[in-house]
Amino acid sequence: SKNDYKKILEGIMNNKIEVSVVIPVYNAEKTICECVDSVVDEIVTNGLSYEVILVDDGSKDNSLALCKQYSESNPCIKVITQKNSGPSVARNTGIKNACGEFIALNDADDKWLPGKMKIQIEELRKNPEVDLVCAKYGSSRRVGKRTEITYKKEIFHNFFSPQTSAFRLSALVCGDVKFCENQKYSEDMRFLLDFMQHGKCVYLPFLATVPVFSKCVFGEAGLSSHIWKMEVGELKNILFAKKIREINIFVMLIAMFWSLLKFFRRAAISGFIKIRKIFRR
Protein backbone atom coordinates (compact mmCIF):
# COMPACT_ATOMS: atom_id res chain seq x y z
CA SER A 1 0.00 0.00 0.00
CA LYS A 2 0.98 3.67 -0.32
CA ASN A 3 1.26 3.96 3.47
CA ASP A 4 3.68 1.02 3.56
CA TYR A 5 5.83 2.60 0.83
CA LYS A 6 5.81 5.91 2.70
CA LYS A 7 7.06 4.22 5.87
CA ILE A 8 9.82 2.41 3.98
CA LEU A 9 10.93 5.61 2.25
CA GLU A 10 11.00 7.48 5.55
CA GLY A 11 13.16 4.69 6.96
CA ILE A 12 15.59 5.01 4.05
CA MET A 13 15.87 8.78 4.51
CA ASN A 14 16.46 8.46 8.26
CA ASN A 15 19.03 5.68 7.90
CA LYS A 16 22.71 6.53 7.80
CA ILE A 17 23.70 3.60 5.58
CA GLU A 18 24.61 4.87 2.14
CA VAL A 19 25.15 1.61 0.25
CA SER A 20 23.69 -1.87 0.74
CA VAL A 21 25.49 -4.54 -1.27
CA VAL A 22 23.53 -7.74 -1.95
CA ILE A 23 25.46 -10.88 -2.92
CA PRO A 24 23.74 -14.24 -3.60
CA VAL A 25 26.02 -17.11 -2.59
CA TYR A 26 25.80 -20.70 -3.81
CA ASN A 27 28.71 -23.15 -3.62
CA ALA A 28 31.22 -20.32 -3.94
CA GLU A 29 33.88 -21.31 -1.43
CA LYS A 30 36.66 -20.75 -3.98
CA THR A 31 35.63 -17.21 -4.90
CA ILE A 32 33.56 -15.65 -2.10
CA CYS A 33 36.54 -14.27 -0.16
CA GLU A 34 37.98 -12.34 -3.11
CA CYS A 35 34.47 -11.19 -4.01
CA VAL A 36 33.70 -9.78 -0.55
CA ASP A 37 37.19 -8.30 -0.11
CA SER A 38 36.87 -6.39 -3.40
CA VAL A 39 33.48 -5.00 -2.36
CA VAL A 40 34.54 -3.91 1.13
CA ASP A 41 37.84 -2.43 -0.12
CA GLU A 42 36.05 -0.34 -2.74
CA ILE A 43 33.41 0.99 -0.35
CA VAL A 44 35.80 1.72 2.52
CA THR A 45 38.28 3.42 0.17
CA ASN A 46 35.54 5.86 -0.81
CA GLY A 47 34.47 6.51 2.78
CA LEU A 48 30.91 5.25 2.32
CA SER A 49 28.80 3.85 5.16
CA TYR A 50 27.64 0.40 4.13
CA GLU A 51 26.24 -3.02 4.78
CA VAL A 52 27.02 -6.18 2.84
CA ILE A 53 24.20 -8.73 2.78
CA LEU A 54 25.35 -12.26 1.91
CA VAL A 55 22.40 -14.50 1.02
CA ASP A 56 23.43 -18.14 1.16
CA ASP A 57 21.20 -20.00 -1.27
CA GLY A 58 21.45 -23.46 0.29
CA SER A 59 25.17 -23.98 -0.42
CA LYS A 60 26.50 -27.53 0.00
CA ASP A 61 30.16 -26.59 0.31
CA ASN A 62 32.00 -24.39 2.84
CA SER A 63 30.47 -21.11 1.58
CA LEU A 64 28.17 -20.51 4.54
CA ALA A 65 30.97 -21.03 7.07
CA LEU A 66 33.15 -18.50 5.21
CA CYS A 67 30.28 -16.00 5.11
CA LYS A 68 29.75 -16.36 8.85
CA GLN A 69 33.45 -15.75 9.46
CA TYR A 70 33.14 -12.44 7.62
CA SER A 71 30.06 -11.41 9.62
CA GLU A 72 31.76 -12.29 12.91
CA SER A 73 34.77 -10.12 12.09
CA ASN A 74 32.90 -7.22 10.45
CA PRO A 75 29.60 -5.92 11.93
CA CYS A 76 28.74 -4.34 8.56
CA ILE A 77 28.43 -7.80 6.97
CA LYS A 78 25.19 -9.75 7.46
CA VAL A 79 24.39 -13.33 6.51
CA ILE A 80 20.94 -14.60 5.52
CA THR A 81 20.27 -18.26 4.75
CA GLN A 82 17.54 -19.76 2.61
CA LYS A 83 16.83 -23.07 0.92
CA ASN A 84 18.14 -23.30 -2.63
CA SER A 85 15.80 -21.14 -4.71
CA GLY A 86 18.02 -19.49 -7.32
CA PRO A 87 19.72 -16.09 -7.69
CA SER A 88 16.54 -14.09 -8.31
CA VAL A 89 14.98 -15.18 -5.03
CA ALA A 90 18.29 -14.61 -3.23
CA ARG A 91 18.63 -11.08 -4.62
CA ASN A 92 15.03 -10.26 -3.69
CA THR A 93 15.64 -11.59 -0.17
CA GLY A 94 18.74 -9.43 0.19
CA ILE A 95 17.07 -6.31 -1.18
CA LYS A 96 14.05 -6.84 1.09
CA ASN A 97 16.42 -6.73 4.08
CA ALA A 98 18.48 -3.77 2.81
CA CYS A 99 18.17 -0.27 4.20
CA GLY A 100 20.82 1.74 2.36
CA GLU A 101 20.10 4.78 0.22
CA PHE A 102 21.61 2.90 -2.72
CA ILE A 103 21.63 -0.80 -3.60
CA ALA A 104 24.56 -2.41 -5.39
CA LEU A 105 24.75 -6.02 -6.53
CA ASN A 106 27.53 -8.50 -7.05
CA ASP A 107 27.79 -12.22 -7.70
CA ALA A 108 29.84 -14.51 -5.49
CA ASP A 109 32.26 -15.40 -8.30
CA ASP A 110 32.90 -11.81 -9.42
CA LYS A 111 34.97 -8.94 -8.03
CA TRP A 112 34.61 -5.18 -8.29
CA LEU A 113 37.41 -3.14 -9.78
CA PRO A 114 38.77 -0.01 -8.02
CA GLY A 115 36.67 3.08 -8.76
CA LYS A 116 33.45 1.17 -9.41
CA MET A 117 31.37 2.67 -6.61
CA LYS A 118 33.05 6.08 -6.71
CA ILE A 119 32.01 6.66 -10.32
CA GLN A 120 28.49 5.31 -9.84
CA ILE A 121 27.64 7.08 -6.59
CA GLU A 122 28.94 10.37 -8.02
CA GLU A 123 26.71 9.87 -11.07
CA LEU A 124 23.62 9.16 -8.97
CA ARG A 125 24.20 12.10 -6.64
CA LYS A 126 25.01 14.51 -9.45
CA ASN A 127 21.92 13.49 -11.44
CA PRO A 128 18.89 13.00 -9.14
CA GLU A 129 16.73 12.13 -12.15
CA VAL A 130 18.84 8.98 -12.74
CA ASP A 131 17.71 6.00 -10.65
CA LEU A 132 19.97 3.20 -11.90
CA VAL A 133 23.44 3.02 -13.38
CA CYS A 134 25.33 0.04 -14.78
CA ALA A 135 28.66 -0.46 -16.54
CA LYS A 136 30.75 -2.95 -18.52
CA TYR A 137 31.28 -6.49 -17.26
CA GLY A 138 34.12 -8.90 -17.95
CA SER A 139 36.27 -7.17 -20.55
CA SER A 140 37.37 -3.66 -21.49
CA ARG A 141 36.65 -4.39 -25.17
CA ARG A 142 33.89 -2.31 -26.74
CA VAL A 143 33.15 -0.28 -23.65
CA GLY A 144 31.10 2.16 -25.73
CA LYS A 145 29.81 5.52 -24.53
CA ARG A 146 27.51 6.92 -21.86
CA THR A 147 23.99 5.91 -22.84
CA GLU A 148 20.53 6.54 -21.47
CA ILE A 149 18.96 3.10 -21.75
CA THR A 150 15.63 2.83 -23.56
CA TYR A 151 13.54 -0.26 -24.17
CA LYS A 152 14.57 -0.39 -27.80
CA LYS A 153 18.27 -0.05 -26.96
CA GLU A 154 18.10 -2.67 -24.20
CA ILE A 155 16.43 -5.42 -26.21
CA PHE A 156 19.00 -5.04 -28.99
CA HIS A 157 22.07 -4.65 -26.79
CA ASN A 158 21.37 -5.78 -23.18
CA PHE A 159 23.41 -3.19 -21.28
CA PHE A 160 22.53 -4.53 -17.84
CA SER A 161 24.68 -6.85 -15.72
CA PRO A 162 23.57 -7.01 -12.07
CA GLN A 163 27.20 -7.20 -10.88
CA THR A 164 27.92 -3.78 -12.39
CA SER A 165 24.81 -1.97 -11.19
CA ALA A 166 23.85 0.51 -8.48
CA PHE A 167 20.39 1.99 -8.00
CA ARG A 168 18.21 3.95 -5.61
CA LEU A 169 16.30 1.80 -3.14
CA SER A 170 13.53 4.42 -3.17
CA ALA A 171 12.88 3.86 -6.91
CA LEU A 172 12.78 0.11 -6.37
CA VAL A 173 10.32 0.39 -3.48
CA CYS A 174 8.02 2.92 -5.15
CA GLY A 175 7.77 0.75 -8.25
CA ASP A 176 7.61 -2.52 -6.28
CA VAL A 177 10.30 -3.82 -8.67
CA LYS A 178 11.72 -7.30 -8.06
CA PHE A 179 13.74 -9.89 -9.91
CA CYS A 180 11.31 -12.22 -11.69
CA GLU A 181 11.46 -15.39 -9.60
CA ASN A 182 9.81 -17.67 -12.16
CA GLN A 183 12.26 -16.71 -14.91
CA LYS A 184 15.54 -18.56 -14.45
CA TYR A 185 17.33 -17.36 -17.57
CA SER A 186 17.92 -13.78 -18.77
CA GLU A 187 16.22 -12.56 -15.60
CA ASP A 188 18.64 -9.64 -15.46
CA MET A 189 17.22 -8.05 -18.61
CA ARG A 190 13.68 -8.64 -17.35
CA PHE A 191 14.57 -6.83 -14.11
CA LEU A 192 15.80 -3.80 -16.05
CA LEU A 193 12.70 -3.77 -18.27
CA ASP A 194 10.57 -3.70 -15.13
CA PHE A 195 12.74 -1.04 -13.49
CA MET A 196 12.59 1.27 -16.52
CA GLN A 197 8.84 1.62 -16.04
CA HIS A 198 9.58 3.53 -12.83
CA GLY A 199 13.02 5.14 -13.21
CA LYS A 200 15.67 6.46 -15.60
CA CYS A 201 18.57 4.08 -16.28
CA VAL A 202 22.02 4.96 -17.61
CA TYR A 203 24.97 2.90 -18.85
CA LEU A 204 28.38 4.29 -17.88
CA PRO A 205 31.33 3.45 -20.17
CA PHE A 206 33.88 1.82 -17.89
CA LEU A 207 34.85 -1.70 -16.83
CA ALA A 208 33.36 -2.20 -13.36
CA THR A 209 33.35 -5.92 -12.58
CA VAL A 210 35.31 -8.99 -13.68
CA PRO A 211 35.21 -12.72 -12.80
CA VAL A 212 37.42 -13.87 -9.94
CA PHE A 213 38.63 -16.66 -12.23
CA SER A 214 38.85 -16.22 -15.98
CA LYS A 215 35.87 -17.74 -17.73
CA CYS A 216 34.08 -17.56 -21.03
CA VAL A 217 31.17 -15.11 -20.95
CA PHE A 218 28.86 -17.80 -22.30
CA GLY A 219 28.84 -21.46 -23.18
CA GLU A 220 31.37 -22.65 -20.61
CA ALA A 221 29.93 -22.89 -17.12
CA GLY A 222 26.99 -21.96 -14.92
CA LEU A 223 23.58 -20.87 -16.13
CA SER A 224 25.09 -19.16 -19.17
CA SER A 225 26.30 -22.55 -20.44
CA HIS A 226 22.64 -23.32 -21.26
CA ILE A 227 22.68 -20.96 -24.18
CA TRP A 228 19.37 -22.07 -25.71
CA LYS A 229 17.55 -21.55 -22.42
CA MET A 230 19.25 -18.15 -22.20
CA GLU A 231 17.96 -17.39 -25.68
CA VAL A 232 14.41 -18.41 -24.76
CA GLY A 233 14.62 -16.08 -21.77
CA GLU A 234 15.76 -13.21 -23.98
CA LEU A 235 12.92 -13.84 -26.45
CA LYS A 236 10.45 -13.78 -23.53
CA ASN A 237 11.85 -10.40 -22.51
CA ILE A 238 11.29 -9.03 -26.00
CA LEU A 239 7.70 -10.28 -25.91
CA PHE A 240 7.29 -8.65 -22.49
CA ALA A 241 8.46 -5.28 -23.85
CA LYS A 242 5.79 -5.59 -26.56
CA LYS A 243 3.17 -6.66 -24.00
CA ILE A 244 3.68 -3.50 -21.94
CA ARG A 245 3.55 -1.48 -25.19
CA GLU A 246 7.08 -0.09 -24.98
CA ILE A 247 7.91 -1.40 -28.47
CA ASN A 248 5.70 -2.06 -31.48
CA ILE A 249 5.31 -5.36 -33.34
CA PHE A 250 7.72 -4.30 -36.11
CA VAL A 251 10.52 -3.60 -33.61
CA MET A 252 9.65 -6.81 -31.76
CA LEU A 253 10.10 -8.95 -34.88
CA ILE A 254 13.40 -7.31 -35.81
CA ALA A 255 14.66 -7.72 -32.23
CA MET A 256 13.72 -11.40 -32.16
CA PHE A 257 15.44 -12.00 -35.50
CA TRP A 258 18.58 -10.20 -34.28
CA SER A 259 18.51 -12.16 -31.01
CA LEU A 260 18.35 -15.46 -32.88
CA LEU A 261 21.27 -14.44 -35.09
CA LYS A 262 23.33 -13.74 -31.96
CA PHE A 263 22.26 -17.11 -30.53
CA PHE A 264 23.52 -19.02 -33.59
CA ARG A 265 26.83 -17.16 -33.35
CA ARG A 266 27.15 -18.07 -29.66
CA ALA A 267 26.26 -21.69 -30.41
CA ALA A 268 28.93 -21.85 -33.11
CA ILE A 269 31.58 -20.38 -30.79
CA SER A 270 30.54 -22.69 -27.96
CA GLY A 271 30.77 -25.71 -30.27
CA PHE A 272 34.21 -24.63 -31.44
CA ILE A 273 35.42 -24.30 -27.83
CA LYS A 274 34.19 -27.79 -26.96
CA ILE A 275 35.80 -29.33 -30.07
CA ARG A 276 39.09 -27.59 -29.32
CA LYS A 277 39.05 -28.96 -25.77
CA ILE A 278 38.51 -32.49 -27.09
CA PHE A 279 41.51 -32.24 -29.42
CA ARG A 280 43.69 -30.85 -26.62
CA ARG A 281 43.14 -33.91 -24.42
Side-chain angles (χ1 to χ4, degrees):
S1 69
K2 290 183 178 180
N3 288 334
D4 290 334
Y5 288 151
K6 186 177 179 180
K7 289 180 182 178
I8 294 172
L9 292 174
E10 287 174 352
I12 295 169
M13 296 304 294
N14 294 329
N15 200 287
K16 294 182 179 180
I17 293 177
E18 294 172 281
V19 181
S20 296
V21 185
V22 175
I23 305 175
V25 181
Y26 179 70
N27 291 350
E29 63 180 10
K30 294 180 179 179
T31 59
I32 187 61
C33 292
E34 194 163 349
C35 165
V36 174
D37 288 344
S38 74
V39 167
V40 173
D41 287 348
E42 171 61 12
I43 293 176
V44 171
T45 297
N46 290 288
L48 298 166
S49 58
Y50 73 97
E51 62 178 356
V52 176
I53 302 174
L54 303 173
V55 184
D56 184 80
D57 190 33
S59 294
K60 298 177 181 178
D61 63 0
N62 200 40
S63 296
L64 180 57
L66 291 171
C67 290
K68 287 181 176 179
Q69 287 178 18
Y70 271 102
S71 66
E72 289 168 0
S73 61
N74 185 340
C76 295
I77 298 178
K78 305 175 183 178
V79 179
I80 298 173
T81 60
Q82 64 178 36
K83 66 178 183 180
N84 182 245
S85 305
S88 290
V89 176
R91 289 182 184 127
N92 288 339
T93 297
I95 292 170
K96 184 179 178 180
N97 287 274
C99 54
E101 179 184 0
F102 303 106
I103 301 290
L105 304 174
N106 199 17
D107 284 347
D109 59 351
D110 293 316
K111 59 183 178 181
W112 287 357
L113 296 180
K116 190 261 188 197
M117 286 308 300
K118 181 178 186 295
I119 294 170
Q120 295 185 326
I121 295 299
E122 284 180 353
E123 176 76 20
L124 289 166
R125 285 181 172 158
K126 184 174 65 176
N127 300 293
E129 77 282 3
V130 175
D131 292 304
L132 178 149
V133 291
C134 56
K136 187 73 164 58
Y137 171 79
S139 167
S140 58
R141 293 180 58 207
R142 300 178 182 175
V143 170
K145 60 182 181 179
R146 187 183 188 280
T147 305
E148 180 180 341
I149 305 172
T150 64
Y151 283 89
K152 188 181 293 186
K153 289 177 181 176
E154 175 62 14
I155 62 174
F156 279 101
H157 187 280
N158 192 8
F159 288 91
F160 182 68
S161 295
Q163 313 94 308
T164 73
S165 67
F167 44 86
R168 301 182 197 278
L169 180 55
S170 57
L172 203 72
V173 171
C174 288
D176 193 24
V177 182
K178 300 176 182 177
F179 280 88
C180 187
E181 297 182 356
N182 60 7
Q183 183 169 332
K184 191 176 180 181
Y185 298 90
S186 198
E187 79 287 348
D188 49 356
M189 181 191 284
R190 173 59 187 270
F191 173 82
L192 190 68
L193 296 178
D194 282 328
F195 194 101
M196 284 195 294
Q197 295 181 82
H198 308 283
K200 181 177 177 180
C201 304
V202 172
Y203 167 80
L204 302 176
F206 74 97
L207 180 62
T209 310
V210 296
V212 171
F213 296 129
S214 179
K215 62 183 179 181
C216 185
V217 175
F218 58 84
E220 187 170 303
L223 292 182
S224 60
S225 64
H226 305 288
I227 57 175
W228 172 244
K229 293 179 180 179
M230 292 287 288
E231 174 61 20
V232 171
E234 186 167 303
L235 294 174
K236 286 181 178 178
N237 292 333
I238 296 170
L239 290 171
F240 173 73
K242 170 62 173 62
K243 180 180 179 180
I244 61 176
R245 299 181 179 180
E246 293 293 345
I247 61 172
N248 59 40
I249 190 168
F250 180 68
V251 172
M252 181 196 77
L253 291 173
I254 294 176
M256 295 181 79
F257 176 73
W258 178 247
S259 179
L260 287 167
L261 283 180
K262 290 189 294 182
F263 160 73
F264 287 122
R265 176 180 175 274
R266 294 188 191 106
I269 293 173
S270 179
F272 174 75
I273 291 171
K274 290 176 182 177
I275 292 172
R276 187 172 61 179
K277 285 183 177 180
I278 291 172
F279 280 99
R280 282 181 175 179
R281 291 175 183 172

